Amino acid sequence: MKGKKFFAAGAGAAMAFTLAACSGGGAGSDPDPTGPDEQGAVTEDMSVGVAMPTQTSERWIADGEAVESGLTELGYEVDLQFANDDIPTQSQQIDQMITNGVDALIIAAIDGTALNSQLEAAAAANIPVVSYDRLILDSENVDFYVTFDNYNVGVQQATSLLVGLGLLNQDGSEGDAEGPFNVELFAGSPDDNNATFFWNGAMDTLQPYMDEGTLTVPSGQTDFEQAAILRWQQETAQRRMEDVLTSTYVGTDLEIDGVLSPYDGLSRGIITALESNGYDGTVEEGFPVVTGQDAEIASVKLIADGVQYSTIFKDTRKLAAQAVTATEAFLAGEEPEANDTETYDNGVKVVPSYLLESDIVYQDNIQELLVDSGYWTAEEVESGTAE
Ligand code: GAL
């Protein structure tokens, strides 16, 4: 097995950094930072493994590329892998990275509970592990977590549903509508820790309206297990929406007014199912209010066209930058700066985290949030495809 490059190089400073990283760093163990030349020499010999779940969703491609370029700019070698949403593939990729002697790992897990043996091997080799966006569960060996405020993402999803129905205004004040409205609820993949956070944030927001009868769920499917869509698959969401329409709405007077959807891929499956069951036009013309997440370009176009109502923008550039900063800290023998040390219990320990904020995207702020910030160009929004 190839030894770690910086050990082979035998650079004193590199050794000091490494030992500090091995001991978990922390105050007092930080070696005096070296000058830019020496620092450069250290990073050039270091490599980082970046494991992303899938390329079927453009956000993970953007995440992977942003992490890769951030690390490359700092002089690290990068091994970026995508796993086609296949758990054994991801496990093998991470095993291989460890065998290849990477100095740090950044992992967006497919199944948060499936990486235990990889993380044990990483710990044995003193490789720090940064959990990326999705928390890795049931392991002592997760060193840091970078993500968004996932509970608040769920609150924002539900809030945008309420705004779309007219029960709230965008500024949070009470809207003119009275309801009652018929809504259906979707959740994310049950093996993704985020899915529960989104669901809890959304349900805490919707529950009072359900309790007073302003919102009803005619299918009766109000449990997470009933609403969850394994692996966040668009086709599965489409099928579930079709099943719910067939079992509850078709052939009755009931009409569906809104759908809580926690991810744009699911939203597009839901919209397709609605369209093939007689719903058409724009939200303004009466199409059900469908929420989302990730500001995927195909959904941003649907929002611009008035068909999907909203999405949640999580700026993956900021998340990638945060992952790079945390990794850099570990490799310098320091502890990354956390802004949350309470929320993310992975079943074994509370993982120190850095949480970023997200924004609700509506038709009228696409320009400000997504185009002016350079996330998508006006042409991409117009065409619905990333260039
Ligand atoms: C979650 C992530 C969401 C969305 C979803 C499906 O873990 O937080 O932003 O991307 O996966 O990919």
Side-chain angles (χ1 to χ4, degrees), residues 57 59-60 133-134 192 194 198 232 263 293-294 314:
S57 149
R59 77 149 284 188
W60 297 113
D133 197 52
R134 300 173 172 174
D192 180 344
N194 288 351
F198 302 149
W232 304 91
Y263 160 58
Q293 175 174 208
D294 282 353
K314 307 200 303 192

Side-chain angles (χ1 to χ4, degrees), residues 22-33:
C22 297
S23 69
S29 63
D30 179 15
D32 194 28

